[in-house]
Amino acid sequence: MPLADFLFYFKLGWSHIVSLDALDHQLFILALVAVYTARNLKQVLILVTAFTIGHSLTLLLSVLDVVRFSSKWVEFLIPCTIFITALSNLFKKDFSAKAVNTNYYLALFFGLIHGMGFANSVRMMLAKDQNMGWGLFGFNLGLEVGQVFFVIIILALTWFALSFLKIKRREWVIFLSAAVFSLALQMALERIPN
């Protein structure tokens, strides 16, 4: 595969997370990461990789035409995954590694749903490509790098809020999660399939 093709798919994956049109994915990552601090960087990187694995699996199955889902339902389910994740944060009283382990399962399972959201638009592009495997690899690598970039921003803001603004950790988690919950709930209500 020529480097230009790899870079094309890498940029596509990157923009899938960091573009202004990627609010749903950004909110999901924010909800997942809200309960962590910079001290949990390794856990957070595993978490976003779990999301990428779920996302990639659905994308692969869709490109191979093994699974197909109604885009109306997928567009509705994506904000549902976000507000469920944010809602689960609101009920957490303990932010130890053991207490937030459920986020790994949420990331993996909900990554499957998020992967369906992009599958319809990228299916045709990748299916025509002779080097589909490299295209998927480039896309997923771009997705992962975009997520890590976004995670670093979230963890830096969390560090600033806790260290300099002296906001209590639980209050910070509630603030972030409540904001994400309300935005995602509004998105879900707007996307209820007819």
Side-chain angles (χ1 to χ4, degrees):
M1 171 182 232
L3 182 60
D5 289 347
F6 175 82
L7 291 175
F8 169 79
Y9 286 111
F10 180 89
K11 287 177 186 174
L12 199 61
W14 165 267
S15 66
H16 187 55
I17 294 297
V18 300
S19 76
L20 296 176
D21 297 330
L23 181 62
D24 51 356
H25 293 287
Q26 293 164 1
L27 288 174
F28 183 68
I29 293 169
L30 180 56
L32 279 176
V33 177
V35 296
Y36 295 97
T37 64
R39 281 180 271 144
N40 308 112
L41 184 60
K42 182 179 175 184
Q43 289 174 278
V44 175
L45 293 178
I46 293 169
L47 184 72
V48 297
T49 300
F51 176 74
T52 301
I53 290 168
H55 194 283
S56 304
L57 182 60
T58 307
L59 189 56
L60 175 64
L61 292 174
S62 178
V63 169
L64 295 174
D65 213 14
V66 174
V67 294
R68 279 200 186 205
F69 296 94
S70 163
S71 58
K72 286 183 180 180
W73 277 101
V74 172
E75 290 305 313
F76 168 70
L77 288 174
I78 287 173
C80 291
T81 66
I82 301 165
F83 76 69
I84 290 168
T85 304
L87 186 64
S88 76
N89 290 346
L90 294 173
F91 292 101
K92 287 183 172 85
K93 295 191 179 2
D94 176 16
F95 302 112
S96 67
K98 187 177 180 183
V100 295
N101 272 347
T102 55
N103 281 20
Y104 292 109
Y105 302 108
L106 291 175
L108 181 61
F109 180 69
F110 289 162
L112 293 169
I113 295 170
H114 283 250
M116 288 185 276
F118 199 65
N120 290 336
S121 58
V122 93
R123 178 189 298 119
M124 298 307 228
M125 204 181 318
L126 282 169
K128 292 177 192 170
D129 198 324
Q130 298 289 341
N131 298 304
M132 183 176 62
W134 281 108
L136 280 171
F137 177 70
F139 178 83
N140 290 319
L141 188 61
L143 182 78
E144 185 77 359
V145 172
Q147 289 178 148
V148 169
F149 173 76
F150 198 64
V151 160
I152 289 169
I153 292 171
I154 296 167
L155 293 178
L157 288 173
T158 297
W159 174 77
F160 180 78
L162 301 181
S163 299
F164 287 99
L165 300 179
K166 303 297 182 194
I167 298 172
K168 292 180 181 169
R169 187 171 178 191
R170 175 139 177 75
E171 291 171 4
W172 179 248
V173 171
I174 289 172
F175 168 74
L176 291 179
S177 300
V180 169
F181 175 82
S182 60
L183 287 169
L185 184 59
Q186 179 183 352
M187 290 168 78
L189 293 173
E190 289 169 358
R191 297 178 185 181
I192 294 175
N194 299 351

